[in-house]
Amino acid sequence: MDKFAMVTKTLLEQCSLPLHSDDSILMLRKIVSDLFEAMEAGDSCIQLHSDEEIKVLCASGLAQVICSARLPNVPLCIYQVEGLNFLYLTRYYYYENRISLIISQLCNASTSIDKSKINSTLELLKTKSQQFDFPNQGQYLSIKKSLQQKFSIITGGPGTGKTTSVVLILWGLFQIYGKDLKILLGAPTGKAAQRVKESLQNNLDNIEDNLNLDISDIRNLLNNNESCGTIHKLLGYIHQSIYFRYNNENNLGADVLIIDESSMISLPLFYKLISAINISKIKHLIFLGDPNQLYSVEEGFVFNSLVNASSAPYHVSALTISKRNQGDVSRLAKAILDNNSALVMDILNNSKFVSIQRPNQQFIMHSILYGTNNIFEFIEYCQNKTEINNANEIKDLFKHYTRCAVLCMTNLGKLGVVNLNSEIEHLIKTKIVCNEPWYSGRSIMILSNEKSLNLFNGDIGICLILNGKPRVYFDNGRSFVPEILPKHQLSFAMTIHKSQGSEYEMVKIIIPTAITSNLLSKELIYTAVTRAKKSVEIFSDINNITSLKATIRQSTLNLNIM
């Protein structure tokens, strides 16, 4: 018996009213099974299409129609909006309802900003923008909206300047409120949180030099480890519990909360984050993300729902000028988003920087091992390293690693991450004549968070044999002997999901011929393509790329933000 059947069986056993026919029992079983299957795929709810379905659900005692602000004391509820009927787990309806209520309150709340301070701050930035086109007009408008409103969203693809906007927002906030302002910066995963902090730090010198602004308060903020971290860390993670130390009864003490990679936040986590905010105390709540990238692994469509809400023009700023993806990579990404299959085919067939060929394993392995920016070149570079003396040498090591990424659809299967990594390592060891588990160039990905080592799920480590001993280096400057590392796997190839948020000179995207349609989506391929700065090689049947469909998750949240 599969898990959907088991859940359905459990719910059916809770029926308090008799069902009058076998047909009713079968209908109820199918409805409940459909709901859980949809949630497994990321939906928050399902749409009901007949009065008979509603009648059977209500007769079963498992569901009630929402008639007031008070939630029914049953496992399922039916929400009616704009003439449509949606079935929810009652708990998930509550999550969406609370999110919409709190966001609506924030959207309509007035701020306690000293208008003379904000006007002078914005006027200075406007002058800089006009002089240097830095920040550009889109960035300036996003900064302006974020400083003037309690709630705001900044969207944009890779390289569109979201990080620059955040640095200048932080500078503006300190100008307006003073250095005692309590700001929290967060992201859904440890890797994303670390990357946000590093990206902000890397932008400080550029902004200080080009705009001649005092950013000392921002440096102090980023040096405070308690101010930056995962959403779980900011909320006060409790070991082996689904609850957090900060919640609707014990609020976060933040004046400003800025969250990056927001499209990755699941519905339950978004609810817990938004519930921990003190609406009367919070001065600014800012979410950043790319709505075209992959959504959360768990159920929910919160970020996209907020971006697409009727009130979006008032709280959403879109950055569109990318400095990362140039030329045909950028054209391909846009053509994929626009469903322009003719342009996709034209680019794939005629570009020097974007190409496609069938997913033949022999062709794929030859490209990985001998093609442009190949693995053997990286291994040779690592094998020739005899010492690491400073942070710049670690930076150079990772510069070589990020020359190319092999991105797979899945972990399992002939063309999945596990098998390709195994094949690649076998050929590497054969070439360098190595029987040891660790060798210079062995690249691994951390699979769990280890706070004591400052290592997070998704972090990449590269082994070097120095003085006859293996040591694994990470791009944050830390290094460890292999024995103390948390769970990890080879990272010569990785899933597209794991690559999210990273960037490479080129990417090789591998899509098996027999891939099921529910795994292949516009968001997945867009995410893979936009990891590349210069070139893309795709191994796939061309029909897979020209017939992509967007993933639309079922939710009513966007209908309720006022």
Side-chain angles (χ1 to χ4, degrees), residues 112-395:
S112 56
I113 299 175
D114 183 329
K115 291 189 176 180
S116 62
K117 286 187 177 180
I118 190 171
N119 288 338
S120 62
T121 299
L122 289 172
E123 190 60 36
L124 176 56
L125 276 182
K126 187 175 183 180
T127 301
K128 300 285 187 182
S129 178
Q130 292 171 339
Q131 287 179 329
F132 309 110
D133 193 28
F134 181 63
N136 62 38
Q137 185 177 13
Q139 290 170 323
Y140 173 76
L141 292 175
S142 72
I143 296 163
K144 180 179 179 181
K145 188 170 287 189
S146 297
L147 293 178
Q148 289 180 332
Q149 299 175 180
K150 263 200 171 189
F151 176 71
S152 58
I153 291 175
I154 301 175
T155 69
T160 52
K162 296 189 294 293
T163 301
T164 297
S165 295
V166 172
V167 172
L168 291 174
I169 288 169
L170 291 171
W171 173 81
L173 290 170
F174 283 121
Q175 297 299 305
I176 296 165
Y177 296 104
K179 64 181 180 180
D180 293 330
L181 191 70
K182 183 175 180 181
I183 300 175
L184 295 179
L185 304 167
T189 67
K191 179 184 176 182
Q194 183 71 21
R195 188 177 60 254
V196 168
K197 185 174 181 178
E198 291 171 354
S199 297
L200 291 171
Q201 289 172 326
N202 292 337
N203 268 264
L204 293 184
D205 290 339
N206 182 37
I207 287 174
E208 189 173 42
D209 294 342
N210 285 281
L211 300 183
N212 192 28
L213 299 175
D214 179 8
I215 45 83
S216 57
D217 289 327
I218 305 176
R219 290 192 190 278
N220 292 335
L221 172 70
L222 297 178
N223 288 332
N224 179 0
N225 289 330
E226 297 304 311
S227 297
C228 309
T230 64
I231 295 173
H232 288 74
K233 174 187 173 182
L234 299 183
L235 289 177
Y237 170 72
I238 300 173
H239 184 58
Q240 294 184 337
S241 173
I242 62 171
Y243 301 105
F244 295 97
R245 187 156 54 93
Y246 295 107
N247 48 53
N248 62 328
E249 295 180 352
N250 181 33
N251 295 148
L252 281 167
D255 298 310
V256 177
L257 181 61
I258 301 175
I259 303 294
D260 199 8
E261 298 288 1
S262 301
S263 65
M264 298 168 63
I265 308 175
S266 67
L267 173 59
L269 184 59
F270 205 107
Y271 159 75
K272 290 169 185 177
L273 174 67
I274 209 80
S275 296
I277 293 169
N278 185 324
I279 298 176
S280 61
K281 176 179 170 55
I282 194 83
K283 291 178 169 59
H284 299 276
L285 173 62
I286 304 168
F287 289 101
L288 300 100
D290 183 354
N292 296 312
Q293 286 192 24
L294 290 166
Y295 311 138
S296 61
V297 176
E298 299 175 36
E299 58 279 338
F301 198 54
V302 182
F303 183 70
N304 286 61
S305 295
L306 298 178
V307 170
N308 294 317
S310 59
S311 61
Y314 302 100
H315 61 252
V316 176
S317 302
L319 304 180
T320 58
I321 301 173
S322 175
K323 293 185 178 181
R324 179 200 290 183
N325 307 127
Q326 301 295 322
D328 288 341
V329 174
S330 178
R331 290 177 64 223
L332 178 62
K334 187 175 186 306
I336 289 170
L337 290 181
D338 293 343
N339 292 319
N340 191 337
S341 58
L343 182 56
V344 168
M345 289 189 67
D346 180 65
I347 295 170
L348 292 174
N349 290 326
N350 298 301
S351 171
K352 293 181 179 179
F353 302 99
V354 177
S355 63
I356 188 168
Q357 56 182 302
R358 290 182 62 79
N360 177 286
Q361 187 168 8
Q362 184 178 349
F363 294 160
I364 292 170
M365 292 303 296
H366 186 274
S367 176
I368 292 171
L369 298 172
Y370 301 103
T372 304
N373 296 340
N374 65 68
I375 288 286
F376 281 159
E377 289 176 352
F378 171 70
I379 295 297
E380 182 180 2
Y381 166 81
C382 294
Q383 292 280 312
N384 290 330
K385 293 291 290 184
T386 58
E387 57 184 5
I388 291 285
N389 294 315
N390 53 54
N392 285 334
E393 292 189 12
I394 296 177
K395 185 177 180 180

